[in-house]
Amino acid sequence: MITPHTPSPASSSAANNMIAALLEQRTGQQIAANRAWRIETALKPLLRERGLHTLDELVTQLIATRTGELSDMVVDALLNQETSFFRDAAVLDMVADAARELQAETPHKRLRIWSAGCSTGQEPLSLAMLFEERSVSNPGTQPEIVATDISPSALARAKAGKFSQFEIQRGLSVRRMMSWFDGNGSEWTANPDLVRKVQFRQQNLAGDPPPPGKFDIVLCRNVMLYFSGALRKQVFDTLFAAVRPGGMLVLGAGETVIGQTDQFVPSDRFRGFYHPAQPKAEPLRRAG
């Protein structure tokens, strides 16, 4: 019997390796050797759709196909899109607290927030709900929320604001479900006014520049866990370029800047948040 963690004998390790290499080349995400089983699991629907039986057959088609459409489909299927509404709710509450403090420092300036690696949109939509409920911005003015992800299919779902019953129940109270979503059988649709509070854009953290302009708060949670050390450093460079002086970077619970980059320093007030490091003053030169 083949367990979920045992590669199928019908698919060679070479096929697994080639597909994992394609994913890393395109997105920077790595699949550890002990999680190679996830490749076949994630690609089973695509195999059925194309009438294929093994990953070897899929690799053969990848090599023979001259267009990038099949490669795009493979990469999109392999991307880790794990997310939920109000994931680590205490962290999002701190984001709202930090936003209030930053807004008080610049009361006439609209805050800008970037949700990097937003998947199907639950994080930025949660922030939009929270900001509306807590009124962290100037009266009548919501923070500008830009949300990016590499996956076109995930972004399409985020823009449509459509979620399954299972997805809607993960993290949302009944009050929020009733206030912000309309249910239709097993599918729930976010209020268009809520979706319009977020600007969804495609962006590859592994190679693309950040969205234009500086941001007051950047959330990049549980994304760099799958990157190599060298790529993490490159992504930190991208994030540093995006955060304004005095702004904040928010990472996932299992992520840190320590030992990864010297461009960010831990926040004294908000645990797990980081500020851009101040440039070191050059020593004074003695005359003569």
Side-chain angles (χ1 to χ4, degrees), residues 48-64:
R48 287 195 297 268
E49 179 183 327
R50 301 186 72 89
L52 304 175
H53 298 94
T54 67
L55 295 181
D56 293 86
E57 294 177 11
L58 178 61
V59 167
T60 299
Q61 282 202 4
L62 282 169
I63 295 172

